[in-house]
């Protein structure tokens, strides 16, 4: 069914030609991504001048974050950084930020722009911040560069936006285990997520090919586990395999982790750390082989894929070790959720291990799947005792879910459906739609990727709410997340190329109700925002956005 084209065409008509200087200083067409719930055009423009002030509630440091972002954007090209003042009444020519208890959605806002003033209301500081992100996308792209432009005035078109997200969880993941990226790039990624009103950064910190977070109690995790001797060249699924002979590695110190978490917090983004267990643990086992079933020795993995060596579930030392690590992780990441992986853990070693088999017998477990469930449940108890909540990939359904676990459904949506039916919270991140390591266009013209075919149109089409679920069950679908696995992505430029603009489509899926989503409208807004992405030096993909395979089979 064709949906209404609600935003762009109407506004194009209204704004076309209404301001002769518009290209010089104002974005002529509101083209906000993700699309807001409602946008009513007004008359004329608001103009930032040397006298513009931003008024925030007295003593409110969180509102000051939103105001600070706006002030720096407005000040960039004009040189006139608006002053932020506290506790005054709304005044002509000013931007007035205030809380409104009527706005009950924790991230909702109203942005009311007239030629005389801008009024921003929200229930929380996050709402004020998202209003500023919308206002930002109405500003000309010059605001994104820390560069004065002679005689430049920043203008925004008058309109009223009433907005709130469809889902409370809107996230992007990044795998830094296979390849890592500098802290500056992680911050850039976080900034891009915030621009699109995403509120979660899932930081995949440990892998077979590299352990990337400093743990003070176990220094060998980074001395040994953070470095691999070489890396497979080309696709790891196409033998004969060749290796580059070059040592690769590195890790984030705890100080750097704190810096990233604080940076994200100022942008209303929660960072969820992922510490993989019981599988994807070869780097940790290379450092501490005594925690495996066989005792090793092992090397940090040099090729991609699923590895047989996993943590031994029969040894008490394994749990002491992981709990010690998690204790350090809790101190670094103030958010509620901790992701413990749980995916792709082959059971071959457990089947042959005397201690794992003894555990199965002692605990009255049926098989190795129930042993994995025992493992995850034990870790969940530890998390809950520390005020944290567990997230795991959908394999944690096998052998029985831990009582309070949240499930990330990645092998399609079926795991998510099963978990929601069991009244567990779910984050939808299916490889059928939001795996951004998959090809985004015909492979022949693209850099090597893991496989698949997920053009922007297909990513955009995802609806996180499966029709199979009742409205009550659907309440367990917290939201959506895109995943960026980096086996075949080794540089920041390539990472951005794979992630964007597909992540913007995911941001819209998380924010805009499905009934208001429209791909053609999204594409038109994307075209407008490209100037901003260029100003921000985002290396987004510029090729074919449509699902050409779908067209070919029509
Ligand atoms: C996954 O892609 N192995 C969660
Ligand atoms: Zn074992």
């Amino acid at each position: 069914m064709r949906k209404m084209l609600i935003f762009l065409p109407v506004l194009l008509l209204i704004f076309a030609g209404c301001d002769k200087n518009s290209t010089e200083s104002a974005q002529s067409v509101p083209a906000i991504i993700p699309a807001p719930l409602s946008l009513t055009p007004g008359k004329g423009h608001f103009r930032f001048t040397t006298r513009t002030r931003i008024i925030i509630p007295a003593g409110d440091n969180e509102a000051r974050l939103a105001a600070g972002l706006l002030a720096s954007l407005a000040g960039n090209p004009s040189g006139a950084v608006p002053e932020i003042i506290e506790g005054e009444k709304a005044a002509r020519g000013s931007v007035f930020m205030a809380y409104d208890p009527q706005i009950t959605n924790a991230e909702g806002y109203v942005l009311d722009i007239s030629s005389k003033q801008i009024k921003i209301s929200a229930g929380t500081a996050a709402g004020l911040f998202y209003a500023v992100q919308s206002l930002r996308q109405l500003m000309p792209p010059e605001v994104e560069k820390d560069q004065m432009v002679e005689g430049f005035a920043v203008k925004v078109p008058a309109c009223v936006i009433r907005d709130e997200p469809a889902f409370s969880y809107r996230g992007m993941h990044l795998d830094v285990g296979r390849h890592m990226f500098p802290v500056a790039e992680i911050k850039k990624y976080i900034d891009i997520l915030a621009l699109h009103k995403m509120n979660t950064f899932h930081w995949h910190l440990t892998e077979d090919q590299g352990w990337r977070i400093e743990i003070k109690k176990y220094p060998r995790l980074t001395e040994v586990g953070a470095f691999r001797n070489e890396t497979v060249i080309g696709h790891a699924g196409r033998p004969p395999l060749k290796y580059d002979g070059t040592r690769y590695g590195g890790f984030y110190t705890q100080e750097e982790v704190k810096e990233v978490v604080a940076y994200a917090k100022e942008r209303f983004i929660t960072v969820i750390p992922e510490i993989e267990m019981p599988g994807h643990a070869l780097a940790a086992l290379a450092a501490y082989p005594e925690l495996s079933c066989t005792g090793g020795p092992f090397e940090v993995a040099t090729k991609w894929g699923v590895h047989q060596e996993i943590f031994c579930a029969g040894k008490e030392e394994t749990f002491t070790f992981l709990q010690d690590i998690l204790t350090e992780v809790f101190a670094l990441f103030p958010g509620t959720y901790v992701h413990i992986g749980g995916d792709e853990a082959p059971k071959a070693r457990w089947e042959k291990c005397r201690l794992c088999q003894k555990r199965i017998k002692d605990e009255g477990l049926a098989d190795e799947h129930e042993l994995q469930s025992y493992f995850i449940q034990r870790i969940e108890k530890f998390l809950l005792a520390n005020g944290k909540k567990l997230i795991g990939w959908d394999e944690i359904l096998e052998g029985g879910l831990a009582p309070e676990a949240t499930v990330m459904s990645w092998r399609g949506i079926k795991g998510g459906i099963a978990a929601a039916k069991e009244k567990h919270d779910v984050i939808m991140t299916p490889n059928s739609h939001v795996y951004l390591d998959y090809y985004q266009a015909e492979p022949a013209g693209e850099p090597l990727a893991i496989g698949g075919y997920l053009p922007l149109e297909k990513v955009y089409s995802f609806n996180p709410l499966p029709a199979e679920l009742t409205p009550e069950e659907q309440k367990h679908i917290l939201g959506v997340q895109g995943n960026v696995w980096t086996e075949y992505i080794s540089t920041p430029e390539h990472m951005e190329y794979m992630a964007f603009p597909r992540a913007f489509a995911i941001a819209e899926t998380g924010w805009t109700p499905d009934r208001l989503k429209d791909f053609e409208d999204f594409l038109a807004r994307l075209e407008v925002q490209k100037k901003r992405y260029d100003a921000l030096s985002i290396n987004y993909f510029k090729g074919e956005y449509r699902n050409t395979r779908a067209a070919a089979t029509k």
Side-chain angles (χ1 to χ4, degrees):
M1 197 185 76
R2 207 162 153 71
K3 290 178 191 141
M4 272 194 316
L5 293 176
I6 38 173
F7 302 110
L8 210 59
V10 177
L11 295 167
L12 268 169
L13 282 175
I14 288 168
F15 286 103
C18 91
D19 185 86
K20 287 196 185 68
N21 296 323
S22 62
T23 50
E24 148 208 320
S25 67
Q27 187 189 283
S28 50
V29 180
I32 297 168
I33 299 175
L37 205 50
S38 85
L39 189 158
T40 312
K43 276 212 183 80
H45 290 84
F46 178 87
R47 190 185 172 100
F48 286 82
T49 72
T50 50
R51 292 179 307 282
T52 304
R53 304 189 307 170
I54 304 173
I55 302 163
I56 60 170
D60 190 329
N61 287 335
E62 282 202 303
R64 189 169 276 276
L65 293 171
L69 170 65
L70 180 58
S72 75
L73 290 164
N76 273 341
S78 64
V81 181
E83 191 188 351
I84 301 170
I85 52 172
E86 295 190 4
E88 290 193 12
K89 291 213 168 69
R92 202 183 159 95
S94 67
V95 179
F96 181 70
M97 292 187 177
Y99 293 112
D100 177 353
Q102 309 262 15
I103 301 176
T104 52
N105 184 292
E107 297 174 303
Y109 67 89
V110 177
L111 170 61
D112 185 346
I113 305 172
S114 75
S115 56
K116 295 189 181 63
Q117 66 171 13
I118 298 178
K119 270 186 165 170
I120 296 175
S121 335
T124 68
L128 299 178
F129 183 76
Y130 291 137
V132 169
Q133 294 294 3
S134 288
L135 185 50
R136 175 184 185 179
Q137 292 194 25
L138 297 173
M139 290 171 138
E142 285 82 355
V143 301
E144 305 295 346
K145 285 203 157 162
D146 191 6
Q147 211 172 64
M148 283 250 316
V149 182
E150 196 57 42
F152 198 93
V154 175
K155 294 193 290 182
V156 286
C159 59
V160 179
I161 297 176
R162 292 173 198 283
D163 203 7
E164 64 180 44
F167 293 97
S168 63
Y169 186 109
R170 305 174 305 278
M172 282 298 294
H173 149 286
L174 184 62
D175 166 16
V176 295
R178 278 53 177 264
H179 288 102
M180 70 180 292
F181 305 93
V183 168
E185 181 65 19
I186 305 286
K187 289 182 176 173
K188 183 178 178 187
Y189 193 69
I190 286 169
D191 276 326
I192 298 169
L193 303 195
L195 170 60
H196 297 90
K197 304 189 179 77
M198 288 182 136
N199 60 10
T200 310
F201 169 46
H202 170 177
W203 204 0
H204 183 85
L205 285 161
T206 72
E207 257 307 334
D208 296 308
Q209 296 83 6
W211 183 280
R212 304 277 175 238
I213 176 171
E214 177 189 25
I215 299 294
K216 306 250 189 222
K217 189 154 187 183
Y218 298 107
R220 285 175 60 80
L221 280 172
T222 43
E223 284 165 13
V224 174
F227 298 89
R228 57 179 180 260
N229 287 331
E230 57 184 352
T231 304
V232 67
I233 299 170
H235 202 287
R238 292 176 205 147
L241 299 186
K242 286 204 196 118
Y243 292 83
D244 65 5
T246 307
R247 192 168 151 83
Y248 179 94
F251 61 92
Y252 302 99
T253 64
Q254 292 203 352
E255 284 311 306
E256 287 172 327
V257 168
K258 282 186 211 157
E259 193 184 319
V260 167
V261 169
Y263 191 86
K265 183 164 187 268
E266 288 176 357
R267 286 149 185 82
F268 297 86
I269 287 180
T270 303
V271 185
I272 297 181
E274 182 177 356
I275 306 294
E276 277 265 24
M277 61 190 80
H280 287 291
L282 193 49
L285 294 176
Y288 296 95
E290 62 274 22
L291 301 176
S292 70
C293 291
T294 66
F298 311 114
E299 270 191 15
V300 177
T302 57
K303 76 165 191 226
W304 323 124
V306 175
H307 295 268
Q308 295 297 319
E309 307 306 331
I310 68 174
F311 286 116
C312 177
K315 292 176 179 166
E316 279 305 293
E317 294 82 346
T318 297
F319 293 96
T320 309
F321 173 79
L322 290 172
Q323 289 176 6
D324 288 345
I325 289 169
L326 288 170
T327 301
E328 292 193 30
V329 167
F330 298 159
L332 294 170
F333 296 89
T336 309
Y337 284 117
V338 175
H339 200 306
I340 55 71
D343 59 321
E344 299 179 320
K347 306 298 185 298
R349 297 291 179 266
W350 287 2
E351 283 163 14
K352 297 245 157 61
C353 171
R354 186 177 53 81
L355 292 174
C356 284
Q357 292 304 313
K358 179 168 181 323
R359 177 84 74 192
I360 287 176
K361 197 152 158 265
D362 291 351
E363 298 291 334
L365 306 172
D367 56 17
E368 288 72 23
H369 292 298
E370 288 198 4
L371 181 56
Q372 165 141 343
S373 173
Y374 163 88
F375 194 118
I376 303 294
Q377 291 199 35
R378 209 170 142 171
I379 294 295
E380 175 175 70
K381 280 205 191 88
F382 184 71
L383 258 58
L384 293 174
N386 285 278
K388 300 288 182 181
K389 283 164 83 173
L390 180 145
I391 301 182
W393 300 111
D394 59 46
E395 285 91 333
I396 66 169
L397 279 149
E398 294 160 13
L401 270 179
E404 315 225 357
T406 296
V407 172
M408 268 192 185
S409 188
W410 75 274
R411 295 175 297 178
I413 59 169
K414 58 185 187 310
I417 292 171
K421 282 187 185 294
E422 289 183 38
K423 299 190 168 45
H424 282 254
D425 286 345
V426 170
I427 294 147
M428 286 296 193
T429 180
N431 55 2
S432 56
H433 288 81
V434 292
Y435 263 45
L436 305 190
D437 56 334
Y438 285 17
Y439 284 103
Q440 58 196 321
E442 287 304 336
E446 289 301 303
L448 179 70
I450 195 161
Y453 174 69
L454 286 181
L456 185 66
E457 185 173 9
K458 175 96 190 266
V459 173
Y460 189 83
S461 73
F462 182 57
N463 177 357
L465 294 179
E468 294 93 317
L469 296 179
T470 65
E472 209 43 47
E473 289 164 347
Q474 284 188 347
K475 287 188 188 145
H476 286 290
I477 310 293
L478 302 183
V480 61
Q481 174 179 289
N483 292 345
V484 181
W485 299 101
T486 59
E487 287 93 332
Y488 300 97
I489 302 174
S490 63
T491 65
E493 295 74 30
H494 191 189
M495 187 272 282
E496 292 177 17
Y497 176 87
M498 298 303 280
F500 310 120
R502 290 187 291 180
F504 308 156
I506 296 167
E508 184 143 315
T509 296
W511 184 278
T512 310
D514 192 60
R515 68 178 193 283
L516 298 182
K517 281 176 68 190
D518 183 283
F519 185 61
E520 296 305 322
D521 191 62
F522 174 77
L523 279 185
R525 282 178 280 124
L526 179 62
E527 281 309 311
V528 175
Q529 291 301 338
K530 277 182 173 177
K531 289 202 187 75
R532 184 175 318 279
Y533 303 143
D534 290 336
L536 289 166
S537 303
I538 301 173
N539 186 38
Y540 59 91
F541 170 78
K542 301 177 180 74
E544 177 61 65
Y545 293 137
R546 291 173 206 282
N547 186 347
T548 51
R549 291 190 188 173
T553 54
K554 254 184 201 155

